[in-house]
Amino acid sequence: MLQDQNFFDTLSDETRRRLLALLFRQGELCVCELQYAVDMPQPKISRHLAVMREAEVLAVRREGTWIYYRLHPGLPLWAYRIVEAMTQSISQSHLFDRDAARLEEMANRPARCSA
Amino acid sequence: MLQDQNFFDTLSDETRRRLLALLFRQGELCVCELQYAVDMPQPKISRHLAVMREAEVLAVRREGTWIYYRLHPGLPLWAYRIVEAMTQSISQSHLFDRDAARLEEMANRPARCSA
DNA sequence: TGTAAATATTCGATATGGAGAATATGATTA
DNA sequence: TAATCATATTCTCCATATCGAATATTTACA
């Protein structure tokens, strides 16, 4: 079950907020897409995703080699509202603009291949 | 101006969330009321309030010996929504129940004296 | 001006979190 | 089974946050 402390710890790191905002807007993304979007070392992304997974803020689905992350479906409404408001805020920053733009420009996205 | 990082740092500490929730619901409280409600050493309260004041999450008003804290009036809407949702969540906890109950039972509350 | 009440600040110790680098695991395909 | 791609974990180092204890500051009032 989601613990308050873990949830707010999740939000206390800018990298995690960027990943979370991308997932909130896109619905589901695999690690390599998130990595490409925020342009950071893979282990770093993986660790931050693990923090959010263990906090039950994110849920995971495996499909072959790829692992897809999404908002945890059991997220309480109050927590969902907070993620929504955070996303609204971060969406206005250049930082997030670039994340979203990079994601759009990414070639060979796994979701596209399987689609 | 409110910085994202400072705002979310504010929320990462449970004591600060308790203080913030009390202020969200009561509108304005002085340090001794907050101290009485959460039942913690005065320097600890004061330091946590300072963190939120410096982050521009809280605003301050002095009246004689007492210093009243309240939500910062310039808080952006998205941040206000987050405080609102956080308060909604914490309000369901026994922890917060007791905070609110202690505040109600407090004798000689300064606001009452001046009213 | 001296004292008391309310609040703030400083200091030293400890703990926690994030970073980079290296390595491990797991699935796929040749 | 070997090689490769995607992802996860471990380790050590460093920075930062929090705490308790002590002390300082500000205001009111005798």
Side-chain angles (χ1 to χ4, degrees):
Chain A
M1 182 189 169
L2 181 85
Q3 302 296 316
D4 278 31
Q5 191 59 57
N6 295 333
F7 176 69
F8 289 108
D9 280 346
T10 280
L11 297 175
S12 70
D13 182 272
E14 182 174 73
T15 300
R16 286 196 291 265
R17 290 196 299 274
R18 287 164 67 183
L19 295 170
L20 197 50
L22 283 166
L23 290 167
F24 183 86
R25 303 239 300 213
Q26 303 286 332
E28 195 176 56
L29 294 168
C30 75
V31 179
C32 61
E33 289 174 309
L34 291 165
Q35 180 187 351
Y36 192 94
V38 300
D39 190 26
M40 289 176 174
Q42 179 269 325
K44 180 170 172 177
I45 306 300
S46 189
R47 239 180 317 100
H48 282 303
L49 290 172
V51 168
M52 296 193 274
R53 184 193 345 121
E54 287 158 14
E56 299 184 35
V57 171
L58 298 184
V60 185
R61 179 176 66 92
R62 162 158 246 149
E63 192 174 320
T65 315
W66 295 282
I67 295 194
Y68 289 90
Y69 281 86
R70 63 184 187 282
L71 275 200
H72 197 293
L75 206 63
L77 182 58
W78 64 266
Y80 183 88
R81 288 210 181 103
I82 289 178
V83 175
E84 184 177 38
M86 180 278 289
T87 299
Q88 178 193 333
S89 162
I90 205 180
S91 293
Q92 297 166 2
S93 74
H94 298 304
L95 195 64
F96 186 79
D97 282 347
R98 270 181 285 129
D99 290 348
R102 266 193 298 264
L103 181 59
E104 286 306 315
E105 293 160 9
M106 181 179 179
N108 301 323
R109 290 176 60 183
R112 283 190 191 160
C113 292
S114 69
Chain B
M1 181 189 169
L2 181 83
Q3 302 296 317
D4 277 31
Q5 191 59 58
N6 295 333
F7 176 69
F8 289 107
D9 281 346
T10 279
L11 297 176
S12 70
D13 182 274
E14 182 173 74
T15 300
R16 286 196 292 265
R17 289 196 298 274
R18 287 164 67 183
L19 296 170
L20 197 51
L22 283 167
L23 290 167
F24 183 86
R25 302 238 300 212
Q26 301 287 331
E28 195 177 57
L29 294 168
C30 75
V31 179
C32 62
E33 290 174 308
L34 291 165
Q35 180 188 350
Y36 192 93
V38 300
D39 190 27
M40 287 176 177
Q42 179 269 326
K44 181 171 172 176
I45 305 300
S46 190
R47 242 179 312 100
H48 282 302
L49 290 173
V51 168
M52 297 193 273
R53 184 191 349 118
E54 287 158 15
E56 299 184 36
V57 172
L58 297 184
V60 184
R61 179 177 66 92
R62 161 159 248 149
E63 191 173 320
T65 315
W66 296 281
I67 297 196
Y68 289 90
Y69 281 87
R70 64 185 188 283
L71 277 199
H72 197 293
L75 206 62
L77 183 57
W78 65 267
Y80 183 88
R81 290 210 181 104
I82 288 177
V83 175
E84 184 177 37
M86 180 278 289
T87 300
Q88 179 193 332
S89 162
I90 204 179
S91 294
Q92 297 166 2
S93 73
H94 298 304
L95 195 65
F96 186 79
D97 282 347
R98 270 182 285 130
D99 291 349
R102 265 193 298 265
L103 182 59
E104 285 307 313
E105 292 161 9
M106 181 179 179
N108 302 322
R109 290 175 59 183
R112 284 191 190 161
C113 292
S114 68

